[in-house]
Amino acid sequence: MVGLHVPFPLVSFESRCLASVLSGIILCYVVYEWTGIISRSCFKGYNKLSPAQKLEWNNRGISTVHAIVVAFASFYLLVVSDLFNEDSGEGLIVDRTSTVSDTILGISVGYFLTDLAMIFWTFPALGGMEYVLHHALSMFSIIQSLLSGQGLIYILMVLFSESTTPFVNLRWYLDTAGQKTSSLYIFNGIGLFVGWLVARIFLFIYLFIHMFHHFDQVKTIFPLGFYSLLTVPFVLAFMNVFWFWKIVKGLIKTLSKARRSK
């Protein structure tokens, strides 16, 4: 599929990057505010939440919207478009980028900057050091790929794993709303298990296999990017496995309670 490279003859690459990062930050602010407005109108219990709970409630609205945007964009660029088609003959796969991909990476940088700032500002209310590590590694890798134009295919695979975030956030919303015994909570837990297994376990295995089969191309990435690519995905994969184990234990506990209640 063509049409990925949108010409901006009067706008420099640096200006487009800055604009996309600022757009990501502004999007976070808008979503944060609208999450509160919509929640006050549609969820009666919202006004009964503590200030800290309202902060996290709105913050999770930001991460949900970001996850949906980058997951769809990553799927489009990786699967639907011809950007990474092996037969396209448009240079090395690790060197391929597009205007759309640059924009998505910039928006993600804006999101991670905003979320990281909120985490530090309220630490540890919105997450502990594991979230700081996850965000820092993600942002470090995205910025490298954005500025160098290399390794985009692997960045997009990692960004697609954000597709599990809406399930995580819905579980928190239901828990906060006192709906842990609802059918939706159980179905969401099953969806989270399956989604995490596919997007954060199997996909990372595929990423490592792809890197192995294209290692001759991976070696052409600039030194810092090359060594980051050899380390960051493995650290994230380890964190994914750790969190997956917690998800499995939580799901088993939830299903056991559901059986006993029948």
Side-chain angles (χ1 to χ4, degrees), residues 25-41:
I25 295 174
I26 294 172
L27 178 64
C28 289
Y29 173 78
V30 172
V31 172
Y32 182 90
E33 293 296 324
W34 273 100
T35 299
I37 294 173
I38 295 173
S39 297
R40 279 192 292 271
S41 302

Side-chain angles (χ1 to χ4, degrees), residues 163-177:
S163 58
T164 60
T165 299
F167 294 100
V168 176
N169 288 341
L170 181 56
R171 182 176 64 173
W172 184 88
Y173 284 135
L174 293 172
D175 187 8
T176 303

Side-chain angles (χ1 to χ4, degrees), residues 39-48:
S39 297
R40 279 192 292 271
S41 302
C42 301
F43 176 55
K44 295 180 180 179
Y46 180 80
N47 292 325
K48 298 179 182 179

Side-chain angles (χ1 to χ4, degrees), residues 42-167:
C42 301
F43 176 55
K44 295 180 180 179
Y46 180 80
N47 292 325
K48 298 179 182 179
L49 299 177
S50 66
Q53 287 177 316
K54 289 180 180 179
L55 174 69
E56 184 165 1
W57 186 287
N58 296 353
N59 175 268
R60 287 180 180 271
I62 298 174
S63 61
T64 298
V65 171
H66 169 261
I68 293 172
V69 170
V70 298
F72 273 104
S74 298
F75 181 82
Y76 170 76
L77 290 167
L78 289 168
V79 179
V80 180
S81 77
D82 292 331
L83 183 60
F84 299 108
N85 190 325
E86 296 271 8
D87 302 322
S88 66
E90 297 181 1
L92 300 179
I93 286 182
V94 296
D95 291 337
R96 297 180 189 178
T97 63
S98 72
T99 303
V100 174
S101 66
D102 291 343
T103 302
I104 292 300
L105 294 189
I107 290 174
S108 285
V109 171
Y111 160 73
F112 282 117
L113 279 173
T114 303
D115 202 44
L116 201 55
M118 294 184 70
I119 289 175
F120 280 127
W121 184 261
T122 61
F123 194 84
L126 293 178
M129 288 306 300
E130 68 274 14
Y131 287 93
V132 174
L133 177 62
H134 172 270
H135 281 29
L137 289 176
S138 298
M139 192 163 56
F140 173 69
S141 302
I142 291 171
I143 291 174
Q144 282 193 101
S145 180
L146 179 61
L147 297 181
S148 69
Q150 293 185 304
L152 172 66
I153 184 172
Y154 302 116
I155 298 298
L156 292 176
M157 288 184 191
V158 174
L159 281 178
F160 182 77
S161 68
E162 289 292 309
S163 58
T164 60
T165 299
F167 294 100

Side-chain angles (χ1 to χ4, degrees), residues 132-237:
V132 174
L133 177 62
H134 172 270
H135 281 29
L137 289 176
S138 298
M139 192 163 56
F140 173 69
S141 302
I142 291 171
I143 291 174
Q144 282 193 101
S145 180
L146 179 61
L147 297 181
S148 69
Q150 293 185 304
L152 172 66
I153 184 172
Y154 302 116
I155 298 298
L156 292 176
M157 288 184 191
V158 174
L159 281 178
F160 182 77
S161 68
E162 289 292 309
S163 58
T164 60
T165 299
F167 294 100
V168 176
N169 288 341
L170 181 56
R171 182 176 64 173
W172 184 88
Y173 284 135
L174 293 172
D175 187 8
T176 303
Q179 299 294 317
K180 288 191 70 171
T181 58
S182 66
S183 298
L184 180 57
Y185 187 88
I186 296 174
F187 290 138
N188 180 73
I190 296 173
L192 175 60
F193 168 81
V194 175
W196 200 280
L197 183 64
V198 173
R200 292 186 182 261
I201 303 298
F202 291 160
L203 181 58
F204 269 72
I205 293 174
Y206 174 78
L207 184 153
F208 297 138
I209 293 174
H210 190 281
M211 283 177 54
F212 176 78
H213 285 293
H214 294 80
F215 199 69
D216 57 327
Q217 297 190 30
V218 172
K219 289 189 295 185
T220 65
I221 296 176
F222 70 103
L224 180 59
F226 171 73
Y227 290 112
S228 297
L229 192 56
L230 293 184
T231 54
V232 172
F234 285 96
V235 174
L236 293 178

